[in-house]
Amino acid sequence: MTEFVRKRVANAKNDILSGLTVALALVPEAVAFAFVAGVDPLVGLYAAFMIGLITSIFGGRPGMISGATGALAVVMVSLVAEGNAMGAEGEQLGLYYLFATVILMGVIQMLAGVFKLGKFVRLIPHPVMMGFVNGLAIVIFLSQLGMFPDMVSEDVSFWGDMGTWFSEFFTSLTTNGSIWIMLGFVLLTMLIMWGLPKIKATAKLPEALIAILIVSAIVILGKLDAATVGSFIRDGGGEGLKGGLPQFQFDIFNKVPMNWETLYFIGPYAIILAAIGLIESLMTLNLIDELTETRGNSNRECLAQGGANIVTGLFGGMGGCAMIGQSIINIKGGGRTRLSGIVAAVTLLMFILFASGLIEQVPIAALVGVMFMVVIGTFAWSSFRILNKIPLTDAIVLISVSLLTVFFDLAVAVIAGVIMSALAFAWENAKKIRARKHIKEDGTKVYEIWGPLFFGSIQAFNAKFDVANDPENVEIDFMESRVSDHSALEAIFNLVGKYEEAGKKVRVKHLSEECQALMIKASPRLASVIEHDIDDPRYHVMAKVMK
């Protein structure tokens, strides 16, 4: 017990300081994502507090930070708008439909944990992981550009009209002096974060927290005209950070009709949000695993994320998932245990309850500088070095996932990347099927099959045989092959049938016991064709019962 306590206490200082840093960085992110979703800032802040606290205590990855995220917020925009349209004239029900959707989203995520679907994150290839990291770094960078005051018109999209965007951007640089002030503080923040680790005396202090405090002190004491958290909230239409404890939302059950029509409306949104949330959380979990050289529990994380979203929906939060930027800030700041996430969540609540006035004075520039350093640390710069050294298909997947993450969303990018990788893998393995042929002394022709036999290699497999011109006795040996799926079994079944129709005797050797059982079950007459041997291999076949 003493050893257990000693290990937990040893890193307590780092966890607490890192948690404080993360709490400061969570404020503008949660507020910004609430504005994106079209809801009050407190809805985003409550979500960050509740999800962060619950996942920190019960999640499968100590040190990982969860909260309201942009990946989910962009999906919620149309949900809130359509929900508002469904109410009576002047009645805004979008927020309550959002809460109901977040609750259903949490149920779906918990079911994923119960059925242990989190393990399937292991199927995500490394090029997809690198593409996800690069794409997310770009998304974080672009989201921070929106923090600069009046830089580009709100109705001008970076990807929709790049020419206009850059034109307004450079015009602002020459006419808007406040942008240069903010840019200077951003660079100062980044310089402090870069230089502090090189000073041994500050090596154990979170450089992000020190940078935020220094820049905040300069702006406040110098009474400089710089954008702050408070001005950012007011410019977005909010009234401030001041709020009370989250309240149970009884109105959800009064204003949202509990019927099939509601389920039909919120169901697709809940599924999309659950998928995006789990994919981002589990991929962030994998990334933190690599950074800390430890192993998280993906199924436990699914349960925690689902439970957190159910609670936050019931208590007036917008839902969320793991946040890669804040998680990396935490890990880089020394946060390793659950304490860091708990401190971040509780500190965020304290900001809302008691310290809103102080937090509203923190310059946005300091927080943007921290996030820019996160972008630099997140982006897999090694991908440029290895692009010409890895297989072409992997390079295409890496670039595609990066672009899809930026243009669409994380779920689309990862699913597309996994499909592309799977198809490329199947194509490459389909070309590896071989057949060595020789004639025995008694005139029997032997086909020694080498390579994987599955749906992709069936055509090449069939092309190896010459049923019409083969001798009366044929032997097919699968010792160096592996029958992988139902399509492969069907191919063997059909091949034997062709030889029998031609009046020739065929023997099949060295199939696994499961292959033999499945084929004989499909057609008992094959029992005389399949040859049993003590050297028969043993492996599982992904197949359905043949008819």
Side-chain angles (χ1 to χ4, degrees), residues 69-77 79-80 97-106 108-109 266-281 305 309 318-321 409 411:
T69 62
L72 299 179
V74 294
V75 178
M76 295 173 181
V77 177
L79 167 63
V80 173
Y97 277 103
L98 172 61
F99 295 156
T101 304
V102 170
I103 295 169
L104 181 57
M105 163 193 173
I108 295 171
Q109 291 178 327
I266 69 174
Y269 284 109
I271 293 172
I272 294 171
L273 290 171
I276 295 174
L278 286 183
I279 290 173
E280 183 161 357
S281 297
Q305 291 285 340
N309 279 304
M318 62 182 283
C321 61
D409 60 55

Side-chain angles (χ1 to χ4, degrees), residues 126-148:
H126 189 65
V128 176
M129 276 292 295
M130 293 186 74
F132 150 74
V133 168
N134 290 349
L136 212 53
I138 295 171
V139 170
I140 293 173
F141 172 77
L142 293 176
S143 70
Q144 297 308 302
L145 294 181
M147 300 289 187
F148 285 82

Side-chain angles (χ1 to χ4, degrees), residues 101-254:
T101 304
V102 170
I103 295 169
L104 181 57
M105 163 193 173
V107 172
I108 295 171
Q109 291 178 327
M110 289 199 75
L111 289 174
V114 169
F115 291 106
K116 301 187 183 302
L117 301 182
K119 61 187 177 183
F120 287 106
V121 74
R122 302 174 195 166
L123 299 178
I124 299 176
H126 189 65
V128 176
M129 276 292 295
M130 293 186 74
F132 150 74
V133 168
N134 290 349
L136 212 53
I138 295 171
V139 170
I140 293 173
F141 172 77
L142 293 176
S143 70
Q144 297 308 302
L145 294 181
M147 300 289 187
F148 285 82
D150 303 320
M151 186 178 69
V152 178
S153 302
E154 292 183 2
D155 58 342
V156 177
S157 168
F158 178 83
W159 300 111
D161 191 352
M162 282 192 191
T164 304
W165 193 94
F166 278 111
S167 175
E168 291 194 13
F169 173 75
F170 287 115
T171 301
S172 296
L173 289 179
T174 57
T175 60
N176 191 344
S178 60
I179 289 181
W180 286 103
I181 294 174
M182 182 167 176
L183 188 60
F185 283 122
V186 168
L187 293 176
L188 176 60
T189 304
M190 295 174 70
L191 182 63
I192 293 171
M193 290 185 65
W194 173 78
L196 278 179
K198 303 180 185 302
I199 304 174
K200 292 183 179 180
T202 62
K204 294 184 179 181
L205 297 174
E207 58 269 20
L209 179 59
I210 296 174
I212 292 171
L213 293 176
I214 292 175
V215 174
S216 298
I218 294 173
V219 171
I220 295 171
L221 297 177
K223 297 181 180 180
L224 300 177
D225 183 19
T228 62
V229 172
S231 65
F232 177 75
I233 294 174
R234 287 186 288 275
D235 290 344
E239 297 180 358
L241 290 179
K242 184 65 176 178
L245 290 171
Q247 301 293 319
F248 190 87
Q249 299 295 311
F250 292 100
D251 285 344
I252 298 175
F253 307 99
N254 296 327

Side-chain angles (χ1 to χ4, degrees), residues 127-128 130-132 134-135 387 392-410 412-414 416-418 420-421:
V128 176
M130 293 186 74
F132 150 74
N134 290 349
L387 269 180
L392 178 61
T393 53
D394 285 347
I396 293 173
V397 168
L398 194 159
I399 295 171
S400 299
V401 172
S402 300
L403 295 176
L404 288 171
T405 301
V406 175
F407 283 102
F408 296 96
D409 60 55
L410 180 63
V412 171
V414 172
V418 170
M420 292 169 65
S421 297

Side-chain angles (χ1 to χ4, degrees), residues 19 50 52 69 171 212 230 279 325 364 372 374 396 401 424 476 480 515 543:
M50 288 182 282
T69 62
T171 301
I212 292 171
I279 290 173
I364 287 291
F372 278 171
V374 169
I396 293 173
V401 172
I476 307 174
E480 297 183 58
C515 288

